[in-house]
Every structure is written in structure tokens, then in C-alpha cells.
Amino acid sequence: MKKDIFKIGSLRLKSRLIVGTGKYKNFKETAQAIKESGADMVTVAVRRINILDKKKPILTDYLNPKKIIYLPNTAGCFSSEEALRTLRLAREMGGWKLVKLEVLGDKRNLYPNMFETIKSTKTLVKEGFRVMVYCTDDPLLAKKLEDCGASAIMPLASPIGSGLGIQNKINISIIIKQSKVPVIIDAGIGTASDATIAMEMGCDGVLVNSAIANAKKPKKMASAFKNAVISGRESFLAGRMKKKFFASASSPTKGLI
């Protein structure tokens, strides 16, 4: 039986759930939730991590970068210049070449500025980065990013932190069907069932932060997401039954008493 392998570039991951490290009460809670999630990879906002104040705790004290993959991201960047500078800094700090790019349009809706995003992707790929790109759910722009050399396409389900779930299944489905690189739902996931739906649609993975960190019980929610992603993937691989507009009896209609 052929193994179901999740690959981003040359990197192989066991879990299809990627977890963010922001919004938790403290680093201890962050570490506990991520352990419960079973995730191999966590995102880290380079502009928001503590690298100067030695009196304050740092994330690496709680999450060993030798045991879990750190994915530096450009959260909080609103221009190509900011994003490029941030990721170049990340490469200097930790040698990271696999990165997550997000260039935001404005502070209210946090939608991606796709013009700046495409521009940044082209530059980063030329500089040897492997780029996972946060983007809108526009199939044409998603294809453009892939053509520019993106290692993964990460369309939003709905606005960042909204918890509204997948709002445009048609566009996400088109992106999945046309893409030759992994498609990972990013932003807007609210609960475990949203992750299952994404995986059943054929997404390669799901990135979750707020839905776990803002839950009343983050550890329990992390576990729920772990199982939801596994269940959704297995459902997709199993192949769902065809939808019908009329009833179809489960029991045989011949030989009735």
C-alpha cells in the first residue's frame, strides 16, 4: 500500500496540521497545546519574537527547534520591503530557508496585498528561499504564485482570526485541482469541523492558531484538531459516495417478506 506522504519541497511531515504560536496566555500553554496537536511544524512571527531582552522567556525554551520545525513568517508586514527584510533577518538568525510569506493589505481586514505578495515571492525564490505563501482564494492569483516558484499555496478560508470557516468552497476547490504544489488552508478556521471539511475537500494541510489559542481549553481543542485533520484526510482518500437528489434504500428491495 502506497504511503500517504505530506511533502513541502523536499521536507516530509508526519502531521498535516501546522500550528501557530501566537495568542496563547504564556509559552507553557503554547508548548502544551502544540504537543497535544501532534504538529511537526509551528509558525513563528519573526517581528514579534523576543531576541533582545534576556530577562524575558523565549519560545525556544519551551519548544526545542531540534524536535519541531520552526516556520518563520512575516506576520505584521504591510509591504514587500518589510517582508523581505524580515525573512532575510530570519535566515541570518537561524539559517531558515523554508519560510511563510504574508504581506497584508490593511490593518482592518488583514487580507493579503497580492501585488506585493507576488513581487516578494519572485524575489525570495531567486534568493534561494522555499516560500509558503499566504494568499487570497483567487484561483488565478494562486496559479500565478505557483508559476513564480512558491513551494506551497496557502489561501485564506476567511479573515485572519475570524473563526468563520471556509467561505468560498468553490474557489478553494479550483485551487486544489489546478495546483501541483501543496494547498494549505490558512486563516479563518474556527473549529475542528472546519479542518475536517478542508481536508475532505482535498487540501494537503491546515494551519491553525486562533481557534486553538482562543479556545476555553486550548489543549483539548488542539487534540480535537489533530483528530479532525486525520479524519478528514482519511475521508478524502476513501472517496465519498455520490450525492443524489432522491432516496436510495440501504436494504435490498428484492425478496421482501
Side-chain angles (χ1 to χ4, degrees):
M1 183 177 178
K2 187 178 180 181
K3 288 186 177 181
D4 182 36
I5 299 172
F6 182 29
K7 289 182 66 178
I8 301 174
S10 60
L11 182 66
R12 293 190 177 197
L13 300 172
K14 294 179 181 178
S15 173
R16 291 176 179 271
L17 175 62
I18 301 171
V19 181
T21 55
K23 300 185 178 181
Y24 292 92
K25 294 176 183 176
N26 50 55
F27 285 141
K28 182 179 179 180
E29 184 180 75
T30 306
Q32 289 175 340
I34 290 170
K35 182 179 180 180
E36 200 68 33
S37 75
D40 300 312
M41 176 183 285
V42 296
T43 61
V44 181
V46 179
R47 301 189 75 190
R48 296 172 182 157
I49 59 173
N50 171 38
I51 57 175
L52 298 175
D53 192 344
K54 295 182 179 180
K55 295 180 181 179
K56 293 183 178 180
I58 57 176
L59 185 61
T60 51
D61 291 337
Y62 295 83
L63 289 173
N64 188 342
K66 293 182 179 180
K67 294 183 178 180
I68 195 162
I69 300 165
Y70 275 50
L71 180 67
N73 72 36
T74 58
C77 291
F78 290 86
S79 70
S80 177
E81 289 73 21
E82 282 185 314
L84 293 174
R85 183 170 62 250
T86 299
L87 293 179
R88 287 165 182 159
L89 175 62
R91 183 167 57 183
E92 291 299 317
M93 286 169 52
W96 289 294
K97 289 187 178 180
L98 178 65
V99 296
K100 182 193 168 191
L101 172 68
E102 55 182 81
V103 186
L104 304 175
D106 66 56
K107 295 181 180 180
R108 184 174 176 80
N109 61 49
L110 299 181
Y111 262 57
N113 180 328
M114 292 306 297
F115 299 104
E116 293 287 279
T117 297
I118 291 170
K119 176 182 174 182
S120 303
T121 301
K122 289 179 179 178
T123 300
L124 290 167
V125 169
K126 286 180 181 178
E127 293 182 7
F129 284 93
R130 289 173 290 153
V131 193
M132 300 169 64
V133 190
Y134 169 62
C135 62
T136 60
D137 57 9
D138 184 317
L140 294 178
L141 295 176
K143 187 60 179 175
K144 179 66 175 178
L145 287 171
E146 185 175 348
D147 293 341
C148 291
S151 295
I153 305 298
M154 306 181 75
L156 52 78
S158 52
I160 290 174
S162 67
L164 292 173
I166 302 174
Q167 294 297 300
N168 197 336
K169 293 181 181 179
I170 294 174
N171 278 17
I172 297 295
S173 294
I174 294 171
I175 292 172
I176 292 168
K177 290 176 181 177
Q178 74 182 12
S179 299
K180 295 180 181 178
V181 297
V183 176
I184 301 167
I185 283 291
D186 181 12
I189 294 295
T191 189
S193 59
D194 294 333
T196 300
I197 290 169
M199 298 306 295
E200 286 180 333
M201 289 173 64
C203 288
D204 295 281
V206 174
L207 193 156
V208 181
N209 188 179
S210 300
I212 296 176
N214 291 341
K216 292 180 180 179
K217 298 180 179 180
K219 281 179 62 179
K220 188 171 287 293
M221 186 62 81
S223 177
F225 269 101
K226 173 185 177 180
N227 295 320
V229 168
I230 293 171
S231 177
R233 181 63 179 178
E234 289 184 349
S235 178
F236 170 73
L237 294 175
R240 65 156 292 145
M241 64 175 284
K242 291 184 178 180
K243 294 182 179 180
K244 301 176 182 179
F245 291 98
F246 300 97
S248 177
S250 300
S251 303
T253 56
K254 294 183 179 181
L256 297 177
I257 296 174

